[in-house]
Amino acid sequence: AFVNRNGTLDTLPFPRGSYTQLRLSPDGQRLAVQRRDPLVSGEVVVLELATGQRRRIAVEGNYRTFPASWSPSGSELLIGLWDPIQFLNHGARLYSRSGVPLLDLQVRGASYMTIAPNGKDFVFSDWRTGELFLQPLRDDTGRIRIPGRGFAASFSPDGRWLAYGSTDGGIAVSPVPPTGAVYQVAERGQQPLWSPRGDRVIFRDGRRFSEVSVSTTAGFSVGSPRFVAEGPFVRTFAWNHSIAPDGRLAVVVARP
């Protein structure tokens, strides 16, 4: 569902299911989700918001899969691969929007992968340590360590800032390229996402969503957190929310 500014829900036209990790395409027309099924370890489904059509992206191998990130053009989707038997993250695979595999990323331990606005780089967290890295999408060399430690990093629209849930339980922001600076945004929160205009960071704390105003025009400055919505929203270790181009918050609603 979409959360309206008054806190009401605008339910999307799809049947109930075990959905997690939703990722809206940059144009807001498609939604990639992980759908859990007792018969399979997990699959990624692309939902068309205008028509209600659903398309499964078939991933070869015995992996749990999750939609990691859309490319800026919306023509490609990065899908994370997790081996539930060996308990290892095997990196990710880049697919065309129609489901054709394009590229394998062999990045052990990588989690919370997000493609940068330039379409050339991606950021990820080492799920074992919380270390953050920036790396070229099509080159496994030139990895850059981002100061701070945390998970679920997201880029500002101009690609110059990263917001992430720090390992101390709050929300932090670091510049890109890194300068060594780490700015505290909120004392509590997880899975931050930027507004389309880059003037707000929206984040989750349990079933409660808040936002904070930020300014990046002359350095970095931050306002006070403001309440957005609270409700029966699914909460797991992963993103169960996304931001539409018009700034609306998309969520997964728990079954009553």
Side-chain angles (χ1 to χ4, degrees):
F2 282 116
V3 179
N4 299 311
R5 295 301 293 181
N6 61 3
T8 60
L9 298 180
D10 184 10
T11 304
L12 293 169
F14 303 108
R16 287 178 178 265
S18 185
Y19 301 120
T20 64
Q21 306 191 50
L22 74 169
R23 304 290 269 176
L24 277 165
S25 61
D27 61 8
Q29 296 181 15
R30 297 169 185 85
L31 188 65
V33 298
Q34 181 189 53
R35 188 178 72 87
R36 295 282 184 165
D37 189 296
L39 301 179
V40 296
S41 59
E43 65 180 17
V44 172
V45 179
V46 176
L47 310 174
E48 301 282 342
L49 269 64
T51 64
Q53 292 181 327
R54 292 173 288 166
R55 183 177 66 257
R56 175 178 177 265
I57 295 184
V59 177
E60 293 185 1
N62 184 32
Y63 297 116
R64 291 194 183 276
T65 59
F66 52 93
S69 180
W70 290 93
S71 66
S73 66
S75 61
E76 298 168 334
L77 182 64
L78 189 62
I79 294 179
L81 306 176
W82 172 267
D83 187 332
I85 297 176
Q86 300 185 52
F87 205 68
L88 290 173
N89 193 313
H90 284 269
R93 189 170 294 156
L94 189 68
Y95 285 82
S96 71
R97 193 170 66 200
S98 60
V100 177
L102 303 174
L103 175 71
D104 272 20
L105 281 70
Q106 302 295 334
V107 189
R108 290 291 182 96
S111 64
Y112 293 103
M113 292 162 280
T114 301
I115 299 176
N118 64 12
K120 300 177 181 179
D121 304 311
F122 73 105
V123 67
F124 67 90
S125 300
D126 187 317
W127 69 273
R128 298 160 295 189
T129 65
E131 291 178 297
L132 290 158
F133 296 97
L134 185 68
Q135 180 172 312
L137 193 60
R138 287 175 168 81
D139 185 359
D140 60 2
T141 62
R143 179 183 296 185
I144 299 173
R145 170 82 161 83
I146 303 295
R149 299 164 72 91
F151 299 94
S154 64
F155 287 93
S156 60
D158 61 9
R160 296 179 54 241
W161 303 89
L162 276 171
Y164 51 91
S166 59
T167 53
D168 66 4
I171 302 295
V173 169
S174 294
V176 178
T179 64
V182 176
Y183 301 96
Q184 190 76 14
V185 170
E187 293 183 357
R188 287 178 55 87
Q190 310 90 32
Q191 291 110 28
L193 293 174
W194 294 79
S195 67
R197 294 174 56 185
D199 59 350
R200 293 177 294 128
V201 172
I202 299 94
F203 57 92
R204 181 180 69 81
D205 182 10
R207 300 187 190 277
R208 179 185 178 96
F209 286 95
S210 300
E211 66 181 16
V212 61
S213 297
V214 297
S215 175
T216 60
T217 54
F220 185 85
S221 60
V222 59
S224 299
R226 297 187 300 269
F227 171 77
V228 173
E230 186 172 13
F233 308 133
V234 171
R235 53 176 183 173
T236 67
F237 67 94
W239 280 296
N240 290 299
H241 58 285
S242 192
I243 306 296
D246 62 6
R248 285 188 298 169
L249 175 69
V251 295
V252 181
V253 182
R255 188 186 297 271

